[in-house]
Amino acid sequence: MTQSQHPSLPPLPPPPMPTLEDPDLEMMDMEEMTEDGGATQFMPASPVMTEPQSPVNPTTHPPTMPAPPQATFPKSPGQSANRMPTMPAPPPLPTTPPRNFGRSPGQPSLDELVRHAFDEGFSDVHLGVGEKPRMRDRGEMTILEYPEIDENTFMSWLREILKEDEIQRFKKELEFDGATQYEFARVRINIFDSLRGHAMVLRLIPLKILTMEQLRLPMIFKDISDAHKGLILVTGPTGSGKSTTMAAMVDYINKEHPKNIITIEDPVEFVHQSRRSLIKQREVGMHTLKFDNALKAALREDPDIILVGEMRDKETVNTALKAAQTGHLVMGTLHTNSAVKTLERILSLYNAEEREAMRVAMAESVVAIIAQGLCRTTDGKRAAYHDILINTETVKDYIIQGKNDEILELMKDGEYDGMITTNQALFNLYQEGRITEETALELSPTPNEIAMMLRGRI
């Protein structure tokens, strides 16, 4: 066939060149260019069309590129030929549920518990894992109607009052002492570990410091607080009101005397504002690392009065006596039940060779020893009773000679000097109608003696 016998076809316009973004580019092989009748055509290297192309009208849109072949997959029985198989979803990755540190249902917040204790006049809050919350109501334990405390609830309470580093310190040392402040009360904190789990005790401390008159303290307390130098000891078991009494005495000095007062406490309980006196309060663990170091440093801080939270050991007693003998007034506490036993307790810290010198030092330094206890009154409140030793000249001689029994007899007859025994204080409360006979007998160190007093034989 000659060239004239070929059908006449219009020239094909050049198709659009594929760009890098064209997905068909990846499915095409290299193309070859051929010349046919002066028209340029693009021929694919391998056929991809299954139907013949119809002639293209040059006035219409240019032809589109053929679709690339689709991959085929083996068909499962019952699967449509035109439906793509569904790939199974991968199994979900295992996830660890977040640990819940929140309170269990029915448990209050710690703020609510402390508020309840404050409103009801309770002194302590007792919380422990595996136990129901309890509070101390004027000396007696009361169980609250809440569920038993679990670990998550306890830890959520800790996070209300402690920083994270303090929680880690407790977990490491298994004990923690501190204090926190609410808008209505200050709270002393003790956290510890036990057989059943973590536990803590919160002691509520009023923000307002009660005066000596409000506490009904004997008038001799003001005379003791007016001393310029020496050693004042306030003693008693835990929960006997020692801190409250000491705060009232410091508050009295603060209002009446221009002094420089330095306190060393573990922790700080009652917070004082400087009035006539300048008051600096230091907390062990926060403002000083060691109790004894702070006491020694206080001697170089121009103090008039040094308040020591507790006479813990021989070193503290030695430093306190040194301060008292060098013209300072030192106030401290001990866990003893009577004034005479306080003398014995201090002397027991020293060996036999040192005790004679210590008796002389105590006789020269002691201003007064006040042993205190609390008892429940007939109106449901609490009252303090005291065992007070004033260091008169006669008492000094008895201390040096170690005549403790004579000191006790001197206290019974020392009302003029402001001295009083525990039995006399309990008997006075009984006569005022504030305590019952049973309470007086229960709290007396010598029940036979107070029984005779109650029957009018003494």
Side-chain angles (χ1 to χ4, degrees), residues 349-401:
L349 298 174
Y350 301 87
N351 56 42
E353 293 76 14
E354 297 173 318
R355 287 179 185 174
E356 183 175 353
M358 284 307 303
R359 286 194 183 96
V360 175
M362 292 287 292
E364 293 177 351
S365 303
V366 168
V367 175
I369 301 176
I370 304 166
Q372 178 172 298
L374 291 178
C375 61
R376 195 180 185 96
T377 58
T378 53
D379 58 358
K381 298 180 181 180
R382 290 198 294 178
Y385 57 91
H386 301 94
D387 192 68
I388 302 175
L389 171 64
I390 304 298
N391 192 14
T392 63
E393 292 299 322
T394 306
V395 171
K396 288 181 182 179
D397 292 338
Y398 286 165
I399 291 175
I400 293 174
Q401 299 171 27

Side-chain angles (χ1 to χ4, degrees), residues 47-62:
V48 296
M49 293 185 295
T50 59
E51 297 180 359
Q53 281 185 304
S54 59
V56 180
N57 190 342
T59 61
T60 62
H61 295 287

Side-chain angles (χ1 to χ4, degrees), residues 11 67 125 150 196 292 327 350 392 406 436:
V125 180
D150 57 34
R196 302 196 68 172
D292 190 53
Y350 301 87
T392 63
E406 285 80 354
T436 63

Side-chain angles (χ1 to χ4, degrees), residues 191-240:
I191 310 172
F192 57 96
D193 205 13
S194 69
L195 183 63
R196 302 196 68 172
H198 301 328
M200 65 176 160
V201 179
L202 307 177
R203 166 67 57 84
L204 272 69
I205 303 168
L207 295 180
K208 181 182 178 182
I209 300 174
L210 299 180
T211 64
M212 294 185 185
E213 291 78 12
Q214 291 171 321
L215 295 173
R216 297 190 180 185
L217 298 179
M219 292 299 298
I220 190 63
F221 275 69
K222 290 186 177 181
D223 296 334
I224 295 172
S225 302
D226 288 334
H228 296 288
K229 62 179 181 178
L231 179 63
I232 300 173
L233 296 176
V234 180
T235 73
T238 301
S240 61

Side-chain angles (χ1 to χ4, degrees), residues 237-383:
T238 301
S240 61
K242 299 186 298 294
S243 299
T244 303
T245 297
M246 292 267 286
M249 296 173 73
V250 172
D251 186 62
Y252 167 79
I253 297 172
N254 189 21
K255 294 175 181 177
E256 299 295 331
H257 301 289
K259 303 284 187 179
N260 181 25
I261 303 173
I262 299 175
T263 76
I264 307 167
E265 305 172 73
D266 186 17
V268 171
E269 297 184 346
F270 290 91
V271 178
H272 297 269
Q273 301 294 331
S274 297
R275 296 183 182 178
R276 290 198 68 190
S277 293
L278 174 64
I279 301 182
K280 298 294 184 183
Q281 295 182 262
R282 305 186 69 192
E283 181 171 321
V284 178
M286 181 178 297
H287 309 119
T288 180
L289 298 180
K290 293 184 63 178
F291 197 93
D292 190 53
N293 288 350
L295 183 55
K296 292 177 180 177
L299 297 177
R300 300 186 293 272
E301 294 163 3
D302 188 31
D304 296 300
I305 300 172
I306 304 173
L307 186 146
V308 181
E310 184 179 348
M311 310 282 279
R312 303 182 174 204
D313 47 36
K314 182 177 178 180
E315 289 74 17
T316 304
V317 172
N318 284 340
T319 308
L321 286 174
K322 178 182 177 181
Q325 290 173 330
T326 54
H328 306 91
L329 181 64
V330 180
M331 305 173 69
T333 66
L334 280 172
H335 288 87
T336 50
N337 297 325
S338 71
V340 173
K341 287 183 179 180
T342 301
L343 292 171
E344 297 172 352
R345 169 71 181 277
I346 293 176
L347 292 173
S348 68
L349 298 174
Y350 301 87
N351 56 42
E353 293 76 14
E354 297 173 318
R355 287 179 185 174
E356 183 175 353
M358 284 307 303
R359 286 194 183 96
V360 175
M362 292 287 292
E364 293 177 351
S365 303
V366 168
V367 175
I369 301 176
I370 304 166
Q372 178 172 298
L374 291 178
C375 61
R376 195 180 185 96
T377 58
T378 53
D379 58 358
K381 298 180 181 180
R382 290 198 294 178

Side-chain angles (χ1 to χ4, degrees), residues 111 114-115 118 180-187 206-208:
D111 182 274
V114 176
R115 168 67 75 174
F118 177 78
T180 189
Q181 183 94 19
Y182 291 87
E183 60 182 16
F184 51 87
R186 188 168 174 82
V187 176
L207 295 180
K208 181 182 178 182

